[in-house]
């Protein structure tokens, strides 16, 4: 049975939207090791349609020489949660509508980790339905003030249990949570 591992770059105030702002902090090589361990153990990718449509043009032309993560993103089977077909095609992919049962079935039929990145609407639904096994938050030392927040301001409390943590030289803190 598979597990769901979510990876998000996030500001102290919960903003995760358009993480280009993270570039001013640099990318600590140890962050790459952490992400490489997560993706290296992953056998599937689960994305919301919007994130899939944003990732496709960014990753589809990259090679391993451009980025060591390119083979993972391009060759790994992607499951796209969407009510309609994505507007782009990218590697092996399957569309599925969101339901807790559909995601449970995906977990049941997958060996290894199902990797999720971005996909805020999907992530909130997965958390609400208790389907997240590992939530990897890479917390940057900044409060953005504006932008989409990972956790809904008017939603029910999300209880999490800290499993691991790392601190990187660039000030980023990696927090790994499981269901609380």
């Amino acid at each position: 049975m598979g597990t769901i591992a979510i990876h998000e770059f996030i500001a102290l105030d919960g903003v995760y939207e358009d993480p280009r702002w993270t570039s001013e902090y640099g990318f600590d090589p140890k962050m790459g090791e952490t992400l490489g361990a997560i993706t290296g153990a992953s056998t599937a990718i689960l994305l919301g349609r919007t994130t899939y449509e944003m990732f496709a043009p960014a990753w589809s032309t990259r090679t391993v020489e451009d980025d060591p993560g390119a083979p993972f993103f391009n060759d790994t089977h992607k499951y796209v949660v969407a009510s309609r077909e994505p507007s782009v095609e990218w590697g092996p992919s399957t569309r599925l509508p969101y339901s807790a049962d559909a995601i449970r079935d995906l977990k049941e039929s997958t060996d290894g980790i199902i990797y999720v990145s971005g996909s805020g609407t999907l992530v909130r639904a997965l958390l609400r339905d208790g389907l997240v096994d590992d939530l990897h938050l890479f917390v940057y030392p900044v409060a953005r003030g504006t932008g989409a927040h990972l956790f809904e301001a008017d939603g029910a409390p999300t209880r999490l249990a800290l499993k691991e943590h790392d601190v990187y030289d660039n000030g980023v803190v990696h927090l790994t949570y499981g269901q609380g």
Side-chain angles (χ1 to χ4, degrees), residues 137-161:
L137 298 178
F138 290 78
V139 184
Y140 284 74
V142 62
R144 298 285 300 157
T146 62
H149 289 73
L150 184 61
F151 299 98
E152 298 170 304
D154 59 353
T158 301
R159 305 227 184 270
L160 302 168

Side-chain angles (χ1 to χ4, degrees), residues 52-75 78 88-91:
Y52 174 87
E53 289 175 347
M54 289 175 16
F55 277 19
W59 284 103
S60 63
T61 59
R62 288 186 196 172
T63 65
V64 70
E65 290 79 23
D66 299 324
D67 188 307
F72 168 73
F73 283 103
N74 290 319
D75 301 338
K78 291 160 275 299
V88 296
E89 289 186 26
W90 172 36

